[in-house]
Structure formats: C-alpha cells, structure tokens
Amino acid sequence: MSDEWKDYDKDSRPACKYGSKCYQKNPTHHATYKHPPLQKRVKKEKNRIHPYKKPIKPDIKTNAESSDKESKKHKEASTSTSKTQSKEVPSCTYETTCSIQLPETINYYDKDTDHSVIKELFLADMPSDFFKFYECLNCMEKGIEKTLSSVNLEMIGPYDLLTGKLPKVDDKELYLIHWRFFYDPPEFHAVLKKKGNSQYHIGYFRDDPDEDPVFLGSNDSAKGCTISIMSDNIFGAVYMYLQNEKKTSPFIAMACEKLIEKIKKVAEENNYSLEYNIKKRWSQAVTKTLHGAGIVVPYNKKTQLGYRHLVESDANIKKYFTQLEAAESQNERDKILSDLQPVITYANIAVDECDFGTGLEIGIALFCSGLKILEQNALSNLTSTYTLLKRMEFIKIIQAHIKYRRTGSNMSMLASS
C-alpha cells in the first residue's frame, strides 16, 4: 500500500460517496470529506449533476415494493379497477410499526428525584421557567392538578417526574416517545396538553439539543403538523392559551382570569415577559419549513453556504403528499413518487455541498407528510443531516418516534397498557 493510501485510511473525515468520480469543486466539500488519492475527475462538464436541471429516472424507497408478478398484474388491470382490487394495493395511510412492551408491574420515580434525570431520560435539559412554573402552581390553594384542570390543562412529559407520574422502565427508548405526539419533530418537546380527547398540546422548541429552547409553541395533531409560536417562556405561553380559552365558555372564564392574575404576578417578579416578538425567530431561521416553526442551521450570508431552497415550493410538496394519500393504485403512487423524487435528490446534492439546512428541510417535510410510504425517506434524510449538524440526540428521538409512531390524544407510554 502506498503512503498516499495509508494517509487516506488514517484520515478520520467521512469518505465522499462519489469517491474518485467526485464532481465537486466546492473547497468546503473537499475540506469536509476525504477523497482517494490520484482520483480522476470527470472531464465532461455535461456529465456533472446540477441542482436545478431535470433529473434522470428517479428511484425512491417506499414501503410498498411490488414483485414482478404484481407489477404485471397492475399493467394488465383495466382503468375500472374494482374496490376489492384497490384494497389489495398497499396503502399510504399510517399504521404503527411497533407496539410498546411494558413490564407487568410499573413503579414510578419519586417526586424528589434529582432533576438531572430529565436530561438522562429525555435527552434535553429543561430551562428555569419550566421549574418556576411548577413552583407557581404548587403554591396554589387547589394544587397543581385541580388548578390546571379548571382551565382544561394537564402537565405531561418531563413534568411527570415532578408530579410523581413518571414510570420506571428498562427500555430507555420509551422515554423518547413518552407524550410525543404524531407530528412532533425531535426539536419539539410537549409539556402541557388540553384535557380529555383533545390533541392540542404546548411544548418547548429547541434548534440544538445542547442549547436552551428558543420558544414554546402549540400543535393540534388532529388538525395537522403546524406548530404555532407562542412565547419564549412557559408563563407567556400559558398566558396566551388562557386569553383564548376564557372566550370558549363563561363557566371557565373565572378560573382562567384567576390563573392569569397569578401568572402575571410571578412572571413580573421573575422578569419573564408575557409578550413575544416573533421577528426574533425569523431573523435566525433560514426557512419556515412545512410545520411553520422554522429551522436554524449554521449559515454564511456572504458565501450563502449552509442552506439553499428546495426545488419545489411548500405548496407543491403538499400537493404531492395529498395526491399520494389519495392514490388508489400502485401505478398512481409510482407516478407521484417519480415527481417527488427530484426534490429529495437535489436536497441530497445540496447536503453534499454542505448546505445542511436543505437536508433538514426535506427530512422535516417528509416527516410532516404523516405518510407511512415516506417514513424511511424521512428517517434517512433526518439521520444523515442531524449527524452532519452534530445534533446526535435528535437522531435517537426520531428513530424512536418512527419506530413507535402513533396517532391519538393519549401519548403516554402507559397508554398501551
């Protein structure tokens, strides 16, 4: 083995997947990935892949692969396919991959357990306002549960540790999906929800697992993937919720007003603002994404390195998802997947050229589709992008979420017991 190849093997950088046929000229790409010695460049410029040219025949991974015999049947089938035949075609609708396995006897963490357990189990620290809000309610005459219940709220997720409701299980992966709703991306961590069968919940949103949350938002997974930005602290978020909730019924208005006054007082004493300037978020985010909460990645405005727009608008991508869900035959699905594939392909090319934000955007979009057929593509894109962004905790969260992804209002790990 030559000295050049020995140096190549010792190089700790990830290898460029194009190897000696790499077409990249971007110096940042060559600084990020290692290339084999004496590599031969492609001489013909016509053979280079350009992000905004029409693609060659696409190839998308799906969960509905047909055998040769099945594909022949589809070709021979008439346009008037019967309902029975259409039922035999794999569906795009969502079905849970794995069921949650719990021990026969469930024990719970004590209320006085060290708060560092939250980071250990949920892979994220909670900010000071999280604990201050708990203290605020704990001082209320009715207590936490009754006070929140009077305004149609309940504490969930990491708050279960403080209230003594967090179960002890050996499978640590289950904590990553404990009260994780269907459309919650790894960046979003629910801590409150509306009581009963409602899927409305409020949570912290953080761009990096090692940093503090940047805001609290709300989502109703029964209505879609949209995350509405509320406040940069939980007092402001609950204040906004109460202002809207008191208008729903005269029977709840008095309880809302009482809690509003308490929140105002504690927020003022601890310098928590009840107002939020949303412009702050959009000054940091490179794009809104399909869930509307935006993403933040390292971006150099001078060189424009770090993010480039997807080749299709959000509106067109949503159309593909809607058509894919409504498709009644495999041929229809294949056609739509062919149209969607270039968006994924060019996003991957953008990632190769160090525009990591584009990979994150397409991964989030595929996840937000809620379609089983795009699940593995979402997981693949998000895993590779989070790796490059060094957001490793988010990889564990998305892997667990995809594995146990469920619909409904009760997202506790105990809901299956």
Side-chain angles (χ1 to χ4, degrees):
M1 183 183 289
S2 68
D3 291 338
E4 289 178 327
W5 276 104
K6 287 180 181 178
D7 292 338
Y8 175 79
D9 288 337
K10 290 178 181 178
D11 195 331
S12 60
R13 293 177 299 166
C16 172
K17 65 181 180 182
Y18 299 107
S20 61
K21 295 182 179 180
C22 179
Y23 56 83
Q24 302 287 348
K25 290 185 177 181
N26 190 324
T28 309
H29 171 83
H30 287 276
T32 305
Y33 300 95
K34 66 178 180 179
H35 295 76
L38 300 176
Q39 60 179 346
K40 294 179 181 179
R41 289 285 183 177
V42 179
K43 293 181 180 180
K44 293 182 180 180
E45 275 295 309
K46 292 180 181 177
N47 292 334
R48 288 193 66 203
I49 299 176
H50 293 271
Y52 297 100
K53 282 189 178 179
K54 289 288 182 183
I56 305 172
K57 285 276 185 178
D59 178 26
I60 191 168
K61 295 177 183 177
T62 72
N63 293 337
E65 295 179 352
S66 302
S67 65
D68 292 337
K69 291 183 180 179
E70 288 173 328
S71 62
K72 286 180 182 178
K73 288 180 183 179
H74 285 305
K75 289 179 181 178
E76 295 169 359
S78 64
T79 52
S80 57
T81 306
S82 67
K83 291 182 179 179
T84 307
Q85 287 174 315
S86 63
K87 284 181 180 178
E88 292 174 357
V89 179
S91 173
C92 283
T93 53
Y94 204 89
E95 295 178 6
T96 303
T97 302
C98 266
S99 58
I100 297 173
Q101 302 297 322
L102 294 169
E104 292 184 8
T105 304
I106 300 290
N107 295 315
Y108 295 85
Y109 281 96
D110 189 89
K111 290 182 181 181
D112 299 324
T113 302
D114 193 292
H115 293 164
S116 62
V117 171
I118 292 177
K119 169 70 172 178
E120 179 187 335
L121 301 180
F122 295 98
L123 304 184
D125 280 321
M126 290 293 115
S128 60
D129 60 284
F130 171 87
F131 299 103
K132 183 61 67 175
F133 183 70
Y134 176 82
E135 291 175 17
C136 167
L137 295 184
N138 205 26
C139 292
M140 299 285 283
E141 188 178 335
K142 291 182 179 179
I144 296 173
E145 194 168 334
K146 287 185 178 179
T147 299
L148 286 179
S149 180
S150 67
V151 295
N152 288 334
L153 279 180
E154 61 179 309
M155 285 181 165
I156 58 171
Y159 272 127
D160 283 351
L161 177 69
L162 278 61
T163 57
K165 295 180 180 178
L166 188 65
K168 289 183 177 180
V169 295
D170 293 330
D171 186 358
K172 302 305 180 188
E173 197 175 40
L174 296 182
Y175 292 104
L176 303 182
I177 53 102
H178 184 55
W179 286 109
R180 181 161 291 279
F181 289 79
F182 187 77
Y183 287 111
D184 291 354
E187 292 84 355
F188 191 64
H189 205 159
V191 293
L192 296 168
K193 79 171 288 285
K194 215 168 183 179
K195 282 185 61 184
N197 294 325
S198 173
Q199 295 181 39
Y200 176 91
H201 53 289
I202 296 171
Y204 287 95
F205 191 101
R206 66 189 79 219
D207 295 309
D208 190 301
D210 294 325
E211 296 176 2
D212 287 336
V214 285
F215 64 82
L216 285 98
S218 64
N219 167 260
D220 188 338
S221 52
K223 297 179 180 178
C225 64
T226 301
I227 297 174
S228 300
I229 299 175
M230 302 178 78
S231 176
D232 61 1
N233 67 83
I234 197 167
F235 290 91
V238 174
Y239 177 80
M240 179 182 286
Y241 164 83
L242 294 171
Q243 293 287 7
N244 293 324
E245 190 67 12
K246 70 179 183 180
K247 300 172 187 176
T248 61
S249 169
F251 300 104
I252 200 175
M254 188 177 293
C256 287
E257 284 293 348
K258 187 174 181 180
L259 187 52
I260 284 172
E261 291 305 312
K262 179 66 174 178
I263 283 175
K264 277 183 177 179
K265 182 181 178 182
V266 177
E268 185 178 341
E269 290 172 353
N270 293 274
N271 295 318
Y272 292 125
S273 175
L274 299 181
E275 303 294 330
Y276 182 69
N277 184 1
I278 202 167
K279 289 182 180 179
K280 181 182 177 183
R281 176 61 180 170
W282 303 134
S283 67
Q284 299 169 334
V286 293
T287 186
K288 280 193 173 183
T289 65
L290 220 59
H291 56 46
I295 56 172
V296 172
V297 294
Y299 179 71
N300 188 319
K301 289 184 179 179
K302 202 170 186 179
T303 62
Q304 296 187 344
L305 189 67
Y307 173 76
R308 72 178 67 159
H309 292 289
L310 295 175
V311 295
E312 289 283 5
S313 66
D314 285 352
N316 284 341
I317 292 174
K318 286 179 182 179
K319 283 182 184 177
Y320 288 140
F321 294 159
T322 302
Q323 292 169 358
L324 197 53
E325 187 173 16
E328 295 182 353
S329 69
Q330 190 61 45
N331 285 341
E332 285 183 68
R333 289 193 185 97
D334 289 342
K335 171 63 172 65
I336 301 161
L337 291 170
S338 294
D339 293 337
L340 180 60
Q341 179 61 38
V343 186
I344 301 172
T345 299
Y346 296 149
N348 290 335
I349 291 172
V351 171
D352 289 340
E353 296 181 345
C354 298
D355 288 334
F356 302 146
T358 312
L360 181 55
E361 183 179 14
I362 190 60
I364 290 294
L366 294 169
F367 171 79
C368 286
S369 75
L371 299 175
K372 188 74 172 178
I373 202 168
L374 298 176
E375 187 178 76
Q376 291 308 310
N377 289 92
L379 181 60
S380 175
N381 278 272
L382 289 173
T383 299
S384 61
T385 306
Y386 285 140
T387 300
L388 292 166
L389 290 169
K390 296 180 173 58
R391 299 174 181 179
M392 309 309 288
E393 289 85 352
F394 287 164
I395 295 176
K396 294 179 181 179
I397 293 172
I398 193 62
Q399 287 174 341
H401 194 178
I402 292 294
K403 181 179 178 181
Y404 294 107
R405 199 175 186 186
R406 304 163 289 160
T407 58
S409 59
N410 188 349
M411 292 294 103
S412 167
M413 70 168 80
L414 301 178
S416 60
S417 62

